[in-house]
Amino acid sequence: GESVGLHLPTLSVQEGDNSIINCAYSNSASDYFIWYKQESGKGPQFIIDIRSNMDKRQGQRVTVLLNKTVKHLSLQIAATQPGDSAVYFCAEIEISGGYNKLIFGAGTRLAVHP
Amino acid sequence: DAGVTQSPTHLIKTRGQQVTLRCSPKSGHDTVSWYQQALGQGPQFIFQYYEEEERQRGNFPDRFSGHQFPNYSSELNVNALLLGDSALYLCASSRQGGYTFGSGTRLTVV
């Protein structure tokens, strides 16, 4: 199947700054995208999702932007904290034969420095 | 409410051996998906089970097989282990699309 990829493998930010993690997807038919956070030794944890009929969705300190024209997703984290240090994945739901599955990209490591 | 539980957490096997990994889904979930995550990469879809049947499969050889039990728990079996099978194996349970992941089983093949 088609894959979801990321622009930057590593992002280093200062505590308190805003972080932006980018993701490009190739399947224009996808209509549901999810951002996951994975800390060392743990499984992916849901952060926020967005459907293709939306351009923007906000959560607590996080915002996801979707640009369908260029097939681009971004995750914005406001006032980044040391606890935000982790690997972030974007994923898309691929539907085949009426069933859905998650397809992940390679991930971006976010390192927050004091 | 317990989330997704995987066992064991770590495992070391010798090349050529067989391994079984186990997953108990989140309460209320009826679908189990398995993923392989190599170091520094994103999770890759192996297969998905629903109503005790495999209903989707990723690009993995037949050495990878699975099973789902009536209580929705699942097993992943890998035969004839290769060094390249070393990875974190993640189980995700879902019901109508909302996925919850376990912490995974770290498999090392030596």
Side-chain angles (χ1 to χ4, degrees), chain B:
Chain B
D1 177 29
V4 178
T5 304
Q6 292 188 243
S7 63
T9 54
H10 295 83
L11 200 55
I12 299 175
K13 288 287 189 178
T14 303
R15 189 173 50 183
Q17 285 188 315
Q18 178 266 345
V19 68
T20 298
L21 311 181
R22 296 177 175 81
C23 173
S24 293
K26 180 178 179 179
S27 178
H29 285 185
D30 57 8
T31 303
V32 174
S33 303
W34 286 92
Y35 289 80
Q36 180 195 65
Q37 186 176 22
L39 198 61
Q41 297 185 21
Q44 298 294 311
F45 177 77
I46 302 175
F47 43 53
Q48 183 181 86
Y49 278 84
Y50 173 73
E51 292 188 343
E52 303 178 51
E53 290 189 357
E54 180 185 297
R55 69 178 185 183
Q56 291 193 90
R57 188 178 183 93
N59 188 25
F60 280 81
D62 292 343
R63 298 187 297 108
F64 290 77
S65 63
H67 189 78
Q68 186 180 34
F69 300 93
N71 66 353
Y72 307 117
S73 67
S74 177
E75 290 181 349
L76 164 65
N77 301 293
V78 187
N79 295 321
L81 284 166
L82 303 174
L83 297 179
D85 294 331
S86 295
L88 179 68
Y89 288 85
L90 293 163
C91 169
S93 70
S94 60
R95 185 178 183 90
Q96 297 178 347
Y99 288 83
T100 300
F101 283 83
S103 293
T105 294
R106 171 69 63 187
L107 173 65
T108 302
V109 182
V110 297

Side-chain angles (χ1 to χ4, degrees), chain A residues 38 43 89 99-102 105, chain B residues 35 37 42 48 56 99 102:
Chain A
Q38 188 175 24
F89 296 96
Y99 306 128
N100 67 71
K101 65 184 180 188
L102 281 172
Chain B
Y35 289 80
Q37 186 176 22
Q48 183 181 86
Q56 291 193 90
Y99 288 83

Side-chain angles (χ1 to χ4, degrees), chain A residues 8 13-15 28 31 42 47-48 82 93 96:
Chain A
L8 298 173
V13 301
Q14 292 294 122
E15 181 179 356
S28 58
D31 69 349
K42 297 183 179 180
I47 301 173
I48 192 168
I93 293 287
S96 175

Side-chain angles (χ1 to χ4, degrees), chain A residues 28-45:
Chain A
S28 58
S30 295
D31 69 349
Y32 183 46
F33 303 89
I34 307 168
W35 279 100
Y36 285 93
K37 173 186 181 182
Q38 188 175 24
E39 297 175 284
S40 181
K42 297 183 179 180
Q45 179 184 8

